[in-house]
Amino acid sequence: MSIINQNTANAAVTAKSSSIAQSLTAIVLGLFVVGFVGFSHVEAVHNAAHDTRHANAFPCH
C-alpha cells in the first residue's frame, strides 16, 4: 500500500471516530438536559425550560 493510500485510510478512520465521538457527546448532553431540566425540582430551572419551550412555539401542556 502506498503512503498516500495509507494516509487516506487513516484520515477516513479518524473522521469516523470523530463522528462517533460527536454523536455520543450529543446523546449524553441531551439525556442530561432532559433528566436534569425536565425533572428538576428546582423551580427556577424548570420554569426557564418551560418558558424556552413556549418561546420556541413547542407545546408542553
Side-chain angles (χ1 to χ4, degrees):
M1 186 185 311
S2 71
I3 294 174
I4 294 173
N5 288 340
Q6 186 176 11
N7 287 341
T8 303
N10 289 342
V13 169
T14 302
K16 183 72 171 175
S17 297
S18 177
S19 177
I20 291 171
Q22 290 174 4
S23 297
L24 289 175
T25 301
I27 289 168
V28 169
L29 180 61
L31 289 173
F32 172 76
V33 168
V34 168
F36 177 71
V37 176
F39 299 105
S40 178
H41 294 288
V42 179
E43 190 173 344
V45 173
H46 183 80
N47 287 341
H50 185 254
D51 293 343
T52 302
R53 285 190 296 253
H54 282 291
N56 290 309
F58 185 78
C60 59
H61 301 261

